[in-house]
Amino acid sequence: MAYYRRVGDVPPKRHTQHRKPDGGLLREELVGEEGFTGDSSLLYHRGVPSALVAATPWDPPETRTEPNHPLKPRHFRLHELFADADRDVVTGRRLVLGNDDVRISYAVAAEESPLYRNAIGDECVYVESGSGTVETVFGALEFRTGDYVLLPRGTTHRWVPREQVRAYCIEAHSHIGPPKRYLSHRGQFLEHAPYCERDLRGPDEPLLAAGTEVEVLVKHLSGGRVAGTRFVHPQHPFDVVGWDGCLYPHALNIGDFEPITGRVHQPPPVHQVFEGAQFVVCNFVPRKVDYHPLAVPVPYYHSNVDSDEVMFYCGGDYEARKGSGVGPGSVSLHPGGHSHGPQPGAAEASLGAEAFDELAVMVDTFRPLQLGEGGLAGEAPEYAWSWARGLGNL
Ligand SMILES: [Fe+2]
């Protein structure tokens, strides 16, 4: 995220005296990636960001997983996981899939979350539906249906829904950002990128909050496993009067992603929106489809030998999956080792189509995924056999 932003009150020269109205020094904090060699921002706190008065264990939502064995394509119905919304976006998550590079979980929430920061990696939360505010140490960020909310590692924040929120949470063990091929060597979005700086939204003003003995839930690794700690800070961590830099929470709406189409079928990388270490995020948005007179608009069968492919169907009508039971709220897992493609009849049905009204978020991981308790709880086990149905006695 090499896109400079300045919010609130910052001094003209970095690492120089910056004072409160009472004459006391503000505390400068550098938040940066990759030691001091990656993107960073400088924040100016009223208090001391290091100050702690207690640290106790916190049990984050279940993160244990089971192997996908015997190997099968899978279908999980996320809309069946929650009967109500009396939980929050942080502690209410249920793990669908995960490995040592990324975890995908889902929450339906209407409550305000605790203060929280993820010390393992960046989070990318796709808002399937709902709206509200993510309050962060950098300021407030409004969100709405279709937003990707990107929260850099270590960002203290909380989710404040305005209504029921359905959140598809992608937690990395790394950083998440635009594909490098979309960027100039100095970090500007290039002309062929399907979105650019104008489509990104960040905090506009400082968010100052008062309070003492303030709890923050921290997700981190301990002994190689996901663990949690409850910090108590003597003062509220939202005490930043200003900041500037290239590292901050921001949002991109999926409706601002401009699809790239062609005369014949375009491969999934044209749909890529973000990348992390050992995984990518792509999205399939409503678009005109292939316009060669003999085009087959749905995908060809593909054996993605180097990746497990996770598709979250979040709107419209997904043409290639017709007849499989997949619908809004479904997640499919197409693992390496299985060749997947359209269900029987879908290719024929797509001939002559001019446009697809489909919305899906895809995560491709380069190492196999394991199954989380939320995924297994919502599994539709007949999916693995759906391509064989209707084929007759072949
Ligand atoms: Fe695929």
Side-chain angles (χ1 to χ4, degrees):
M1 185 64 204
Y3 178 34
Y4 178 78
R5 194 174 184 92
R6 177 177 173 149
V7 167
D9 187 15
V10 302
K13 191 81 176 168
R14 62 184 175 180
H15 319 322
T16 59
Q17 296 174 28
H18 191 32
R19 294 186 179 275
K20 297 180 264 193
D22 67 4
L25 280 175
L26 291 158
R27 311 297 172 178
E28 186 182 51
E29 179 195 21
L30 183 140
V31 176
E33 297 176 346
E34 300 166 15
F36 293 86
T37 63
D39 296 341
S40 65
S41 287
L42 288 169
L43 286 67
Y44 295 89
H45 294 266
R46 288 175 168 168
V48 175
S50 315
L52 287 176
V53 294
T56 54
W58 161 59
D59 287 329
E62 179 62 64
T63 56
R64 281 177 295 190
T65 55
E66 295 180 16
N68 181 15
H69 186 250
L71 186 72
K72 285 192 293 185
R74 308 268 181 165
H75 172 198
F76 312 111
R77 292 191 170 108
L78 302 192
H79 286 185
E80 295 182 1
L81 292 184
F82 296 94
D84 50 48
D86 60 347
R87 54 186 61 75
D88 67 77
V89 171
V90 171
T91 66
R93 296 178 186 182
R94 296 185 70 178
L95 184 67
V96 180
L97 293 159
N99 63 14
D100 287 342
D101 305 312
V102 63
R103 290 181 307 283
I104 298 170
S105 58
Y106 187 69
V108 180
E111 304 295 322
E112 183 177 311
S113 83
L115 285 164
Y116 163 70
R117 61 175 166 263
N118 187 330
I120 300 172
D122 292 358
E123 294 197 357
C124 171
V125 177
Y126 176 74
V127 180
E128 181 192 1
S129 64
S131 64
T133 305
V134 184
E135 295 180 351
T136 84
V137 69
F138 293 85
L141 190 59
E142 294 291 309
F143 69 86
R144 64 181 193 273
T145 296
D147 273 351
Y148 294 99
V149 178
L150 285 112
L151 295 149
R153 178 179 181 170
T155 300
T156 305
H157 66 279
R158 72 172 152 222
W159 287 81
V160 184
R162 194 172 298 120
E163 57 187 319
Q164 177 181 285
V165 170
R166 292 183 173 275
Y168 186 73
C169 309
I170 302 165
E171 298 177 23
H173 282 228
S174 59
H175 298 300
I176 302 174
K180 290 180 185 64
R181 69 178 187 280
Y182 289 175
L183 304 174
S184 75
H185 66 280
R186 289 204 170 92
Q188 182 180 7
F189 281 90
L190 293 168
E191 281 296 307
H192 72 270
Y195 61 97
C196 74
E197 289 85 352
R198 293 186 195 180
D199 301 314
L200 305 177
R201 305 173 347 250
D204 290 319
E205 56 188 30
L207 177 66
L208 295 166
T212 56
E213 306 281 305
V214 180
E215 288 188 357
V216 177
L217 304 180
V218 183
K219 189 179 286 181
H220 59 97
L221 292 177
S222 179
R225 297 180 62 90
V226 176
T229 294
R230 179 182 288 101
F231 279 165
V232 179
H233 294 280
Q235 294 175 313
H236 203 293
F238 293 171
D239 66 345
V240 171
V241 302
W243 60 270
D244 75 340
C246 295
L247 184 67
Y248 49 88
H250 57 281
L252 166 70
N253 194 273
I254 198 168
D256 287 323
F257 184 95
E258 300 303 328
I260 295 167
T261 60
R263 228 162 81 92
V264 295
H265 196 75
Q266 298 296 297
V270 303
H271 304 285
Q272 190 177 352
V273 57
F274 302 118
E275 67 182 10
Q278 300 280 19
F279 74 95
V280 299
V281 181
C282 302
N283 50 212
F284 297 84
V285 300
R287 63 194 183 280
K288 291 189 172 182
V289 290
D290 321 344
Y291 49 89
H292 185 288
L294 295 177
V296 180
V298 293
Y300 34 77
Y301 293 89
H302 45 290
S303 188
N304 33 306
V305 292
D306 285 337
S307 62
D308 276 18
E309 178 189 296
V310 183
M311 192 81 91
F312 176 44
Y313 306 86
C314 38
D317 200 5
Y318 204 77
E319 297 292 331
R321 297 274 85 80
K322 276 185 172 164
S324 66
V326 162
S330 290
V331 163
S332 62
L333 167 64
H334 297 140
H338 170 253
S339 180
H340 70 275
Q343 259 68 20
E348 291 82 355
S350 75
L351 300 180
E354 300 230 329
F356 283 173
D357 176 28
E358 63 189 20
L359 195 65
V361 172
M362 182 173 83
V363 176
D364 274 11
T365 67
F366 300 130
R367 295 198 285 187
L369 283 161
Q370 303 216 93
L371 313 174
E373 66 81 24
L376 289 166
E379 185 168 18
E382 71 282 3
Y383 180 69
W385 328 124
S386 61
W387 288 272
R389 281 200 298 266
L391 291 182
N393 296 320
L394 294 178

